[in-house]
Amino acid sequence: MRKKIAVLPGDGIGPEVIEQAIKVLDAVADRFNHHFEYQHAHVGAIAIDKTGNPLPEETLEACIDSDAVLFGAIGDPKYDNDPSAKVRPEQGLLRLRKELGLYANIRPVITYKKLLHLSPLKEEKVDGVDLVIYRELTSGIYFGEKGRDENSAFDVCFYKTEDIDRITHAAFQAAAKRKKKVTLVDKANVLESSRFWRSRVRELAKEYPDITLDFMYVDNAAMQLIQYPKQFDVVLTSNMFGDILSDEASVLNGSMGLLPSASIGIRTSLFEPIHGSFPQAAGEDVANPMAAILSAAMMLDELEMTKEARVVRTTVKHILEKGIGTPELNAKYKLHCSQVGDMVAHLIAEDISLDIGEDRLAEKISTII
Ligand code: IPM
Ligand code: MN
């Protein structure tokens, strides 16, 4: 297959982790006979520096014109302490979400046995966690009417039927391929928009008789995610609640550097590691590229290259379970960001297994990287 991919590395560690994801995509292309054509474009603080605009028109055009968007990270300390600055890197991302109609943000969280000790929770609480958050991404309080005068301010949480319906279908379809459970997280004891969500979701659930639907208030969900995260399969929720809960869920498995995301659009979809731009580590070659690599795997799934996506995920898992990784994983074999990328790419291109004795493993690693 031939696919056009817009590559938006962004700020901080974005460029270096995206470089690794591209190495891996190239290895996939080699092995499975595909052709990926990349079009690089700026977004975020670097785009502001170059053009004054966090999402320049040519970047938006490159995205619209491609089959998928691979996104790094945005943000720079010079904007962090001034949330009211007129031009900010986040505006680029929010506008991109709206322009591409990225209505569903999907954030899977799984655990790796070898890394359980990194979790802030007890190992037995997190061992076996396998959940995915479906966060509505183009409506709600983020995009509702806003206003301010001298003595007051407001942000409206507004939802239309179609905003709720399309992500609800996506969530139920995902649950059908997983553990067959959807939990709608809301604040229906207080908010009218939540009561509206409940009635729509309850109605649509009738089309999916095999899926169990349950409801949870967001304050309780915040607690349950810590107390008993294994109960969750697909968590369906609105924009703001999803923003908060997905950050909470992202620490369960011990490293944010392992978590990918997909934002499904009406036409083009966007794939992005969930970690931020981590400016302190930029250019140091220590960032964990696995989240970006796994985001590329989610992209392959969306491009209907399911087998290829599976190979990427299996390879990543295999490497992590062998105790190989970037320094923050406390790995037995500590590699740089670029070396992790080389290793994943090499194992995929050559279809090599690491199923060898511990004594030969170190030797093998040194020949690969
Ligand atoms: C995220 C981020 C964004 C959000 C920011 C950068 C606007 O936190 O992708 O979760 O709030 O959606
Ligand atoms: Mn967030």
Side-chain angles (χ1 to χ4, degrees):
M1 273 195 251
R2 290 184 82 82
K3 296 288 175 194
K4 262 182 161 174
I5 298 164
V7 180
L8 278 51
D11 305 320
I13 57 169
E16 55 206 273
V17 296
I18 289 300
E19 195 182 320
Q20 310 317 314
I22 289 186
K23 278 183 197 167
V24 171
L25 287 172
D26 285 341
V28 166
D30 263 1
R31 177 159 153 199
F32 295 92
N33 238 326
H34 299 304
H35 183 80
F36 298 126
E37 188 189 312
Y38 307 107
Q39 199 177 347
H40 280 72
H42 291 306
V43 71
I46 184 163
I48 300 177
D49 291 347
K50 290 197 185 294
T51 68
N53 179 353
L55 181 68
E57 288 315 309
E58 60 182 36
T59 299
L60 181 58
E61 273 160 35
C63 294
I64 292 172
D65 183 46
S66 58
D67 296 298
V69 180
L70 190 59
F71 192 101
I74 51 161
D76 188 283
K78 65 184 174 210
Y79 300 97
D80 281 352
N81 297 323
D82 183 10
S84 64
K86 280 261 169 317
V87 183
R88 300 181 49 77
E90 295 89 327
Q91 292 162 344
L93 183 57
L94 293 172
R95 177 153 174 249
L96 195 54
R97 287 177 183 169
K98 205 62 184 174
E99 296 281 352
L100 296 180
L102 304 177
Y103 63 89
N105 182 233
I106 305 174
R107 297 190 181 187
V109 179
I110 56 168
T111 51
Y112 298 91
K113 285 242 185 272
K114 194 87 183 189
L115 303 176
L116 291 176
H117 65 283
L118 296 174
S119 173
L121 299 186
K122 294 199 183 81
E123 292 191 20
E124 68 267 20
K125 291 252 185 219
V126 282
D127 186 12
V129 164
D130 180 1
L131 61 86
V132 58
I133 297 181
Y134 272 64
R135 164 189 175 194
E136 197 289 321
L137 202 60
T138 47
S139 279
I141 197 165
Y142 269 60
F143 291 97
E145 202 189 326
K146 298 176 192 303
R148 179 163 172 174
D149 63 23
E150 252 163 57
N151 300 312
S152 64
F154 65 90
D155 296 274
V156 172
C157 182
F158 180 76
Y159 271 109
K160 294 199 297 287
T161 311
E162 67 190 64
D163 301 326
I164 299 170
D165 287 11
R166 55 192 179 188
I167 189 169
T168 300
H169 283 299
F172 274 85
Q173 282 156 15
K177 294 192 206 135
R178 299 173 44 96
K179 293 178 276 174
K180 305 201 166 13
K181 179 174 164 187
V182 172
T183 305
L184 175 65
V185 172
D186 63 21
K187 189 73 186 171
N189 48 347
V190 177
L191 302 178
E192 200 55 44
S193 53
S194 287
R195 290 192 274 268
F196 186 54
W197 267 83
R198 275 203 189 199
S199 69
R200 277 314 297 164
V201 173
R202 214 179 246 129
E203 190 59 34
L204 297 176
K206 293 179 187 153
E207 295 173 37
Y208 304 90
D210 297 346
I211 312 289
T212 308
L213 169 65
D214 65 7
F215 304 95
M216 200 179 275
Y217 296 141
V218 63
D219 46 352
N220 184 23
M223 184 178 81
Q224 300 279 338
L225 263 175
I226 301 299
Q227 216 157 33
Y228 185 34
K230 280 186 245 187
Q231 71 185 285
F232 295 106
D233 179 17
V234 177
V235 174
L236 169 62
T237 192
S238 61
N239 203 342
M240 183 69 157
F241 297 156
D243 179 45
I244 298 165
L245 292 181
S246 57
D247 264 32
E248 188 186 353
S250 75
V251 299
L252 291 175
N253 82 355
S255 174
M256 256 202 198
L258 297 174
L259 296 174
S261 79
S263 296
I264 303 302
I266 291 161
R267 253 174 31 99
T268 312
S269 300
L270 177 146
F271 302 85
E272 169 193 16
I274 70 139
H275 58 69
S277 58
F278 194 13
Q280 302 81 343
E284 302 284 321
D285 203 16
V286 294
N288 191 340
M290 290 308 201
I293 292 170
L294 292 169
S295 301
M298 292 185 87
M299 180 177 91
L300 293 172
D301 262 332
E302 192 62 25
L303 296 173
E304 288 172 1
M305 300 182 187
T306 322
K307 185 173 55 190
E308 292 82 340
R310 199 177 325 118
V311 167
V312 174
R313 274 194 277 269
T314 312
T315 307
V316 167
K317 183 158 190 257
H318 204 69
I319 290 174
L320 293 172
E321 297 290 8
K322 287 282 174 193
I324 305 166
T326 38
E328 96 289 359
L329 297 181
N330 218 345
K332 181 158 179 201
Y333 302 99
K334 290 191 181 48
L335 304 186
H336 289 291
C337 173
S338 55
Q339 293 174 316
V340 172
D342 288 341
M343 181 136 199
V344 181
H346 191 86
L347 294 182
I348 292 174
E350 309 282 324
D351 194 6
I352 297 176
S353 162
L354 285 180
D355 271 330
I356 46 176
E358 191 68 19
D359 47 335
R360 285 205 47 223
L361 189 61
E363 194 188 313
K364 186 97 182 172
I365 293 170
S366 62
T367 58
I368 288 178
I369 58 177

